[in-house]
Every structure is written in C-alpha cells, then in structure tokens.
Amino acid sequence: MPKDSGQKKKINDCPLTDDDLKRINTRDGLVQLLRKRNVKIKKVLDILRYEDELELLQIQLAEFQQWVRTHQKRVAIVFEGRDAAGKGGAIRRFIEHFKPRTFRVVALPAPTEMEQGQWYFQRYIQHLPNPGEIVFFDRSWYNRAVVEPVNGFCTSDQYTHFLDQVPTFERMLYDDGIHLVKFWFDISKEEQAKRFDARRSSPL
C-alpha cells in the first residue's frame, strides 16, 4: 500500500487516514479525533471506567470463591425479582471466571405432582451448598411469595403459611453455618415490556 498521507486504512471497518493514526498516539490527538468523528467522549470514558471496575470486581469474586473453597464454607446466593429484570445475566457475570467445580446454578422448573404434595421447602433443601461450594439460585423458595400467588399456583393459606415459616427456615440455614445472600432485581413495567418484545424477536 503506497504511503500517501491521504491514503485511508480500515480498522474494524472504520476508515482512518495516516494522520488519524498518528493522532491516536497522544491523548489530545485521540480526543480531537473522537470529536472529529462525533464520538461521545463521556460515553466512551464511562464504558472504559465500567470495564476497569468490572475487572476489579471479577478479581474479588475469584478471591471470594477461593476463600469459600479453602475454608470449606457454604454459600447460597438467591436471585429474585421481576421477569426480565436481569437475574440470569447477573448470575452469568458472577460465574464468568469461576472455577466450575465449586459452584452450581439452580433454576428449578415447576414442581412435579409428587413435589406439590411435599413440604414446600423440601425440593430446595437438596440443592443447598456443600462445604467449599457456592450455589446460585435463579429464583428460589420465594416463588411462593412472588410468582405463585400472582399466577394462581398456591392458595392464600399456603401463601400465609410460607410467610410464617420462611424466617424460621432461613434461621435454620444460618444456624447451621450457611451464608445466605439475597438479591432483589426490579425494573419498571415499561422496561419489562421492552425486554419481552426484544426477546420475542431474538433468535436466541
């Protein structure tokens, strides 16, 4: 390719002149180039800061997983909230750099006919963490308080019974040495509708 100052090169399908490439080597030049191309510098900086912070948090999570394994701790992390609020995406962020042997993701389907006749907490107990393990619950026993009443999957008596029992159940987990962390994800109904529409048109 001839060395012509007006010759354009393509980087990621974005045409850059040799003069543009020289500007990138200095901070002021880069800022000028971004402004020239109508790039929102604040947005770019926000993304870079986000990526830097995310990397630090991922490192802390990796250290946390190592601590759980080394000290044989048991950790249950519950993700609850509205549909499409980001529970699954948050869990994927958590486990992105985790070693697979010491964590599990539990996302239970609707209860079977046999499970419907059991003590409500029974189907969750078998999925609680073992020593040195972290378990992520993508929805949990709180289905009875959040999802089931809305969809008519439990009676008002069952709902009330759950509210009476859940503090005692979680106290038992705590007393037995399980570290229980709970997250609630919320979005507006308008944002939820947008995400549902996006899912309908997505091939994934």
Side-chain angles (χ1 to χ4, degrees):
M1 182 178 288
K3 294 183 178 179
D4 178 3
S5 61
Q7 179 68 48
K8 291 184 177 180
K9 300 177 182 179
K10 284 195 173 183
I11 297 179
N12 295 331
D13 296 327
C14 179
L16 295 172
T17 65
D18 286 343
D19 186 51
D20 289 337
L21 293 174
K22 291 175 183 175
R23 289 187 189 187
I24 293 175
N25 291 325
T26 66
R27 183 182 182 282
D28 291 341
L30 179 59
V31 170
Q32 289 175 11
L33 177 61
L34 293 174
R35 284 180 176 155
K36 175 184 173 184
R37 293 176 176 270
N38 295 320
V39 175
K40 295 180 179 177
I41 297 175
K42 184 181 182 304
K43 186 174 182 180
V44 172
L45 291 175
D46 286 344
I47 291 172
L48 292 175
R49 289 191 193 100
Y50 168 78
E51 293 294 338
D52 286 343
E53 185 176 358
L54 182 63
E55 183 179 2
L56 292 174
L57 292 173
Q58 294 286 11
I59 290 170
Q60 290 181 357
L61 283 172
E63 292 173 348
F64 171 63
Q65 187 189 31
Q66 181 67 16
W67 175 82
V68 170
R69 188 191 68 79
T70 301
H71 297 279
Q72 293 292 284
K73 299 296 183 180
R74 290 174 292 161
V75 180
I77 306 179
V78 170
F79 289 77
E80 291 289 350
R82 287 178 174 271
D83 288 339
K87 298 180 295 296
I91 291 173
R92 286 192 293 274
R93 281 293 197 185
F94 265 84
I95 66 176
E96 187 174 359
H97 300 287
F98 270 16
K99 295 177 182 178
R101 293 180 183 176
T102 53
F103 82 86
R104 286 181 288 126
V105 177
V106 175
L108 298 183
T112 65
E113 186 176 346
M114 179 179 290
E115 288 173 332
Q116 288 176 17
Q118 296 173 347
W119 178 46
Y120 183 74
F121 294 97
Q122 187 171 335
R123 68 194 301 248
Y124 295 100
I125 289 174
Q126 60 187 316
H127 297 287
L128 290 172
N130 298 309
E133 187 179 45
I134 304 170
V135 173
F136 297 86
F137 284 92
D138 188 346
R139 293 203 180 279
S140 68
W141 45 90
Y142 281 103
N143 272 353
R144 177 131 293 182
V146 180
V147 177
E148 293 185 11
V150 175
N151 294 314
F153 293 152
C154 73
T155 66
S156 58
D157 285 344
Q158 288 174 324
Y159 170 75
T160 302
H161 198 50
F162 169 82
L163 294 181
D164 288 340
Q165 286 191 339
V166 70
T168 303
F169 171 69
E170 292 184 352
R171 180 72 196 191
M172 290 167 64
L173 301 183
Y174 172 79
D175 287 344
D176 201 56
I178 292 178
H179 297 267
L180 180 61
V181 182
K182 295 182 279 189
F183 290 104
W184 173 264
F185 288 74
D186 194 20
I187 51 174
S188 68
K189 290 183 178 180
E190 293 75 19
E191 179 61 28
Q192 186 182 47
K194 288 180 185 177
R195 294 185 184 185
F196 282 151
D197 288 340
R199 287 182 179 185
R200 289 190 190 99
S201 60
S202 170
L204 298 175

